[in-house]
Amino acid sequence: MSYTEEVYERVVAQNPGEPEFHQAVKEVLDSLKVVIERNEEEYRRLSILERLVEPERIISFRVPWVDDKGVVQVNKGYRIQFNSAIGPYKGGLRFHPSVNQSILKFLGFEQIFKNSLTGLPIGGGKGGSNFDPKGKSDREVMAFCQSFMTELCKYIGADTDVPAGDIGVGGREIGYLFGQYKRIRGLYEGVLTGKGLTFGGSLVRTQATGYGVVYILNEIMKAHGDSPEGKTAIVTGSGNVAIYAVEKLHQLGAKVVAMCDSNGFIHDPNGIKLEVIKDIKEVKRGRIKEYADRVEGSTYTEGLGIWNIKCDVFLPCATQNELDIDGAKVLVANGCKYVVEGANMPTTLEATNYVMENGVLFMPGKAANAGGVATSALEMSQNSMRISWSAEEVDEKLHTIMRDIFKKVDEAAKRYDMPDNYVVGANIAGFEKVVDAMKAQGIC
Ligand code: NDP
Ligand code: 2IT
């Protein structure tokens, strides 16, 4: 058995009941096989892979809070500090009822390689809670955030661990979390990113993940003599990542015809009117269904099946494993040429292999959605320097970072004789920097 297979089997045996974590590890280890083979003795001697798949620390805690009816509620809170070889732990917080240790470990593990690809000095971490912000009042969200931070603040700091947003955590939640950190620790520092612009936030952080996804799509297209102009696209989800991916696609001349939320999807053959989506989702925190009532010529369909709509470009920007083999087959049959992951691990392994074997250019999330965390690292720099860059400056840096990520991924795939295999390219390019730092720092 190869070293990577041995370590994978060990991960499955030692981490029972964590299918998402197993899946993320499998994808990475399968890609790394070709790298490990060239120097297997050294990697084995240093137990590099065993160390890589074991988080440095998992913090899990109780989050008690009082709802608007006066009832005491209790949620689970977590922070996974996965790998600090190249910088302080960095990664988002997810608030969603599905959150558990497996999901946060997969996200923290992915974050190690993603953060490495940005070229910036940030390690991998992730956290969150099974709290559901949907339908809660602002006061309830504040009470929850304050309780969550009362415990979390013991373990984080501007130079140790810097959380940010993810599903269910946006500007409102980051504001409440920041206020409570400052109050307890007495420190006004860049301990969170995605902050409001009046208290240390960076311009373009809100747009960064979605814009970055489209910047890298543009690079893939350019490398194949193509462009977004005139293309038909589907963007799944209708949250932070999805909204700004749509905005940038429209700026580059593509037409987005479908989006969704967890209840169903809308189809607008004339092109999605983003101002309506922003009003429903960012202002009213409503359901996407309302779009069909407001925009003539559009339709709403309850449930799954957004991939049945014909498109050239498919950007999954909602959640893990949303695109499975059945969806992948329909996309390919309908002539889709590009799948670029805005979400983390939105495509199952089977669906990933299927689209890649059928000529689709596929960019994995750890490369494609790295613009968010990269801009978070730019926010950290601005906080440390006590300055703020203009929107143009941040956007230009983001654009350059996404171009560089594409180059690194493309070059690594070619170096291992697998041109256009961006899964292998991203995993290898991300791994190389982390492993170099791990070796240099000795057994730790
Ligand atoms: P948001 O909470 O803003 O939006 C999430 C969107 O996905 C919503 O439309 C939501 O629908 C939908 N969704 C969430 N869970 C499910 C589910 N179980 N089934 C179906 N739809 C679902 O989150 P973000 O836009 O920030 O995050 C989206 C993805 O992008 C996640 O995978 C996240 O990890 C990833 N990501 C985010 C970054 C960021 O900077 N925010 C950076 C890099 C990656 P509904 O409202 O109905 O729940
Ligand atoms: O998955 C991710 O990269 C994020 N949710 C963003 C993390 C960050 O620290 O900005």
Side-chain angles (χ1 to χ4, degrees):
M1 203 190 289
S2 72
Y3 179 34
T4 52
E5 283 160 356
E6 263 175 45
V7 173
Y8 176 66
E9 291 215 339
R10 183 186 149 114
V11 165
V12 173
Q14 294 189 350
N15 301 272
E18 299 189 348
E20 293 87 0
F21 180 53
H22 303 166
Q23 183 184 341
V25 169
K26 180 158 180 49
E27 189 218 86
V28 170
L29 292 184
D30 282 352
S31 296
L32 293 180
K33 213 175 248 173
V34 288
V35 182
I36 303 293
E37 275 167 4
R38 291 190 183 180
N39 213 351
E40 183 164 331
E41 187 279 324
E42 187 189 21
Y43 289 121
R44 274 188 189 271
R45 181 165 47 79
L46 297 175
S47 291
I48 290 286
L49 296 181
E50 288 86 341
R51 283 194 278 149
L52 196 64
V53 298
E54 194 64 44
E56 288 175 20
R57 199 169 298 102
I58 295 181
I59 298 144
S60 97
F61 50 94
R62 175 172 70 198
V63 190
W65 57 282
V66 181
D67 71 16
D68 284 348
K69 297 193 185 98
V71 177
V72 177
Q73 300 285 343
V74 181
N75 286 98
K76 289 177 183 293
Y78 306 86
R79 186 72 183 165
I80 317 280
Q81 298 182 330
F82 220 119
N83 189 302
S84 62
I86 66 171
Y89 309 106
K90 180 86 197 86
L93 296 172
R94 177 177 293 191
F95 293 169
H96 192 273
S98 64
V99 162
N100 57 37
Q101 190 166 294
S102 171
I103 289 178
L104 295 180
K105 278 171 72 179
F106 115 65
L107 289 163
F109 184 68
E110 292 271 296
Q111 200 81 42
I112 304 170
F113 306 95
K114 181 195 305 193
N115 293 4
S116 167
L117 284 170
T118 66
L120 300 166
I122 39 179
K126 199 84 188 189
S129 173
N130 61 354
F131 173 73
D132 186 1
K134 237 175 255 159
K136 303 286 191 300
S137 69
D138 284 353
R139 196 213 57 84
E140 288 177 318
V141 171
M142 180 178 73
F144 173 81
C145 287
Q146 290 180 338
S147 180
F148 184 85
M149 183 54 87
T150 299
E151 186 60 26
L152 185 70
C153 75
K154 300 170 190 166
Y155 311 101
I156 62 175
D159 294 313
T160 48
D161 184 354
V162 183
D166 192 80
I167 291 177
V169 178
R172 173 182 61 172
E173 291 74 20
I174 294 292
Y176 294 146
L177 291 164
F178 183 78
Q180 185 73 351
Y181 178 87
K182 186 185 59 158
R183 186 178 175 204
I184 300 181
R185 296 286 302 269
L187 290 170
Y188 205 108
E189 59 171 11
V191 65
L192 291 158
T193 58
K195 299 184 291 298
L197 296 176
T198 51
F199 54 98
S202 174
L203 285 159
V204 190
R205 176 61 189 90
T206 305
Q207 295 83 354
T209 311
Y211 279 16
V213 171
V214 178
Y215 288 151
I216 208 162
L217 165 71
N218 196 31
E219 294 303 309
I220 302 168
M221 289 179 141
K222 258 201 294 189
H224 293 84
D226 201 358
S227 93
E229 180 80 41
K231 295 291 186 296
T232 299
I234 293 175
V235 177
T236 71
S238 45
N240 174 260
V241 179
I243 285 175
Y244 293 95
V246 172
E247 185 163 288
K248 188 53 76 177
L249 278 169
H250 283 170
Q251 286 171 12
L252 298 185
K255 182 161 84 173
V256 179
V257 295
M259 294 180 79
C260 65
D261 61 19
S262 58
N263 295 109
F265 62 92
I266 51 160
H267 182 201
D268 187 345
N270 300 317
I272 299 273
K273 292 178 188 47
L274 195 59
E275 66 283 4
V276 178
I277 295 286
K278 283 185 179 179
D279 183 58
I280 295 170
K281 290 291 173 183
E282 293 186 331
V283 182
K284 303 203 169 83
R285 297 181 188 272
R287 309 309 302 158
I288 206 161
K289 186 179 188 204
E290 293 164 35
Y291 184 92
D293 302 331
R294 287 170 59 170
V295 179
E296 212 168 308
S298 69
T299 54
Y300 173 75
T301 308
E302 192 85 15
L304 301 173
I306 193 170
W307 48 77
N308 288 315
I309 298 161
K310 195 173 155 47
C311 67
D312 306 302
V313 174
F314 188 81
L315 306 185
C317 298
T319 193
Q320 64 276 356
N321 293 327
E322 53 171 301
L323 177 61
D324 65 7
I325 185 68
D326 296 336
K329 284 185 177 166
V330 182
L331 284 178
V332 168
N334 281 341
C336 175
K337 286 277 166 286
Y338 304 91
V339 174
V340 175
E341 295 187 325
N344 287 306
M345 208 171 77
T347 316
T348 65
L349 284 174
E350 199 185 5
T352 303
N353 292 334
Y354 185 83
V355 295
M356 288 174 67
E357 282 159 11
N358 284 279
V360 172
L361 290 162
F362 176 89
M363 185 60 81
K366 61 171 74 71
N369 69 38
V373 75
T375 307
S376 280
L378 299 178
E379 182 172 329
M380 289 165 70
S381 300
Q382 293 169 82
N383 291 163
S384 302
M385 290 190 283
R386 306 233 182 305
I387 57 166
S388 5
W389 292 321
S390 69
E392 291 70 28
E393 280 173 289
V394 179
D395 192 35
E396 185 47 44
K397 288 183 205 296
L398 166 64
H399 207 151
T400 304
I401 289 167
M402 297 314 294
R403 272 194 219 106
D404 288 348
I405 292 175
F406 176 73
K407 271 194 223 135
K408 277 183 219 171
V409 169
D410 189 48
E411 183 274 328
K414 287 180 176 148
R415 189 151 38 90
Y416 283 88
D417 292 327
M418 286 180 265
D420 291 346
N421 188 331
Y422 302 134
V423 172
V424 163
N427 286 322
I428 291 179
F431 173 74
E432 284 172 338
K433 178 178 176 186
V434 175
V435 83
D436 188 73
M438 284 175 71
K439 282 190 204 165
Q441 292 171 31
I443 308 300
C444 60

